[in-house]
Amino acid sequence: MFIVDVMSGKPIYEQLIDQVEKFVLLGVLKEGDRMPSVRKLATELSINPNTIQKAYSELDSKGVIYSVPGRGCFVSDKAKDVLNKFKREKLSELESLVRELSMANVTRKELISCIDKVLKEGENEK
């Protein structure tokens, strides 16, 4: 289910966070679903358990997952709402980026074409 790219410039724990968030938003991981144990996932991906723990801790602090001592980690009942809120906050980042692209003479047509392309890709993932 999870895939890491050790050659990527992105830290592995961030790759895991991104994948969990994507799976929650797409409905692959649903509220109450049990996350793979740290030890199991570390073995499957051949990475340090501390890396998995770091990703899980960050997801826990965001409210995406929660842990039950002795039982493991589970997807929070508010995970999708929390992620939707975080993602919507990125609209201001998009505004800044659009401003920069506009200054670089990227046309409205090019921007809309790019947005349409990304949205179509997103629909295909669902």
Side-chain angles (χ1 to χ4, degrees):
M1 177 186 235
F2 295 99
I3 299 169
V4 294
D5 180 1
V6 293
M7 301 306 285
S8 167
K10 190 172 207 169
I12 292 172
Y13 82 97
E14 287 182 7
Q15 293 179 45
L16 292 171
I17 290 168
D18 290 348
Q19 288 178 57
V20 169
E21 290 178 349
K22 179 180 177 181
F23 292 152
V24 168
L25 289 170
L26 291 174
V28 175
L29 287 172
K30 295 175 179 43
E31 114 180 30
D33 283 355
R34 185 165 193 234
M35 298 293 294
S37 73
V38 169
R39 185 175 294 143
K40 180 182 177 201
L41 194 53
T43 302
E44 283 178 14
L45 299 174
S46 300
I47 57 177
N48 190 314
N50 293 333
T51 303
I52 310 291
Q53 188 58 51
K54 185 173 183 176
Y56 279 13
S57 293
E58 191 162 319
L59 288 162
D60 191 6
S61 69
K62 284 182 175 181
V64 176
I65 65 173
Y66 64 95
S67 62
V68 177
R71 294 204 50 230
C73 293
F74 300 85
V75 176
S76 164
D77 60 343
K78 294 181 173 59
K80 206 166 194 173
D81 293 335
V82 167
L83 290 174
N84 282 332
K85 181 179 181 249
F86 277 125
K87 300 303 180 188
R88 284 190 143 312
E89 289 172 358
K90 291 190 173 199
L91 281 173
S92 63
E93 293 175 34
L94 178 61
E95 284 179 22
S96 296
L97 182 58
V98 169
R99 234 178 246 107
E100 289 175 28
L101 292 169
S102 177
M103 287 187 279
N105 295 322
V106 175
T107 67
R108 176 185 175 95
K109 184 177 180 177
E110 290 173 301
L111 288 170
I112 291 173
S113 173
C114 179
I115 290 169
D116 285 342
K117 177 183 171 193
V118 170
L119 291 174
K120 283 180 185 170
E121 289 171 359
E123 288 172 3
N124 290 337
E125 288 183 3
K126 290 182 181 180

